Amino acid sequence: TFINTVFHWPAKDPVVADGNYAYSTTRRGEEFQNPSGTLSVLDIRDKKNAVTVNTYSQQYPFGLGLSGKYLFVCNGHFGMNIYRISGGGQDLIYVRNIPTDDIYDCIPSEELLVCQTKTGLWIFNIENPENPVLVQKINN
């Protein structure tokens, strides 16, 4: 059943949610000419009145993955940004960028992060989420 909508500029918009907050990326322009994008934090406590509480500029975001208190944002040829979630979920602290092949999506599973890149799958060990370790590449 449809409950609510939150306005953002027209773009592709992956979303992950955890408790009272959801995280969403949007992008516009072209990846190699005029790229831009946003990572938004949405307060979803009131499902009928979800509101954007924070936004963070991104280079050209695609998919994102959530693992514990860490958010991994795939930014095409700009690599993967890592954020630590704080403030009960509404604030993000930038940790670092990991250079990768063009990266489009990631799925965390326990201590692993499986990423879809232009050249295939990259698998990171994220036992220390601030310092992922590449453990395997599976080429297309």
Side-chain angles (χ1 to χ4, degrees):
T1 303
F2 175 80
I3 295 177
N4 188 21
T5 186
V6 174
F7 176 79
H8 60 79
W9 24 288
K12 295 177 174 57
D13 58 341
V15 177
V16 294
D18 184 36
N20 294 327
Y21 295 94
Y23 308 92
S24 175
T25 59
T26 54
R27 67 181 183 274
R28 65 178 177 184
E30 298 295 324
E31 187 170 5
F32 296 98
Q33 296 177 352
N34 230 7
S36 65
T38 302
L39 167 60
S40 299
V41 180
L42 307 166
D43 182 330
I44 58 172
R45 286 179 283 196
D46 179 353
K47 306 295 187 262
K48 294 182 181 178
N49 188 30
V51 294
T52 302
V53 293
N54 272 319
T55 59
Y56 301 86
S57 293
Q58 298 296 293
Q59 296 89 346
Y60 199 67
F62 285 84
L64 65 168
L66 179 66
S67 179
K69 294 296 178 190
Y70 288 88
L71 190 64
F72 301 89
V73 181
C74 302
N75 272 290
H77 75 274
F78 297 99
M80 179 173 57
N81 290 336
I82 302 171
Y83 291 88
R84 186 173 52 253
I85 299 168
S86 68
Q90 67 183 3
D91 298 316
L92 300 176
I93 299 167
Y94 177 78
V95 174
R96 66 185 290 202
N97 175 273
I98 303 290
T100 63
D101 286 352
D102 295 9
I103 186 166
Y104 306 113
D105 204 2
C106 61
I107 300 172
S109 177
E110 297 178 20
E111 74 276 354
L112 295 178
L113 182 68
V114 180
C115 302
Q116 176 199 2
T117 72
K118 183 177 182 177
T119 57
L121 297 177
W122 286 29
I123 302 170
F124 291 90
N125 179 308
I126 56 169
E127 288 178 290
N128 178 354
E130 294 191 9
N131 293 297
V133 175
L134 180 64
V135 294
Q136 186 174 8
K137 290 183 187 179
I138 302 170
N139 293 326
N140 291 336

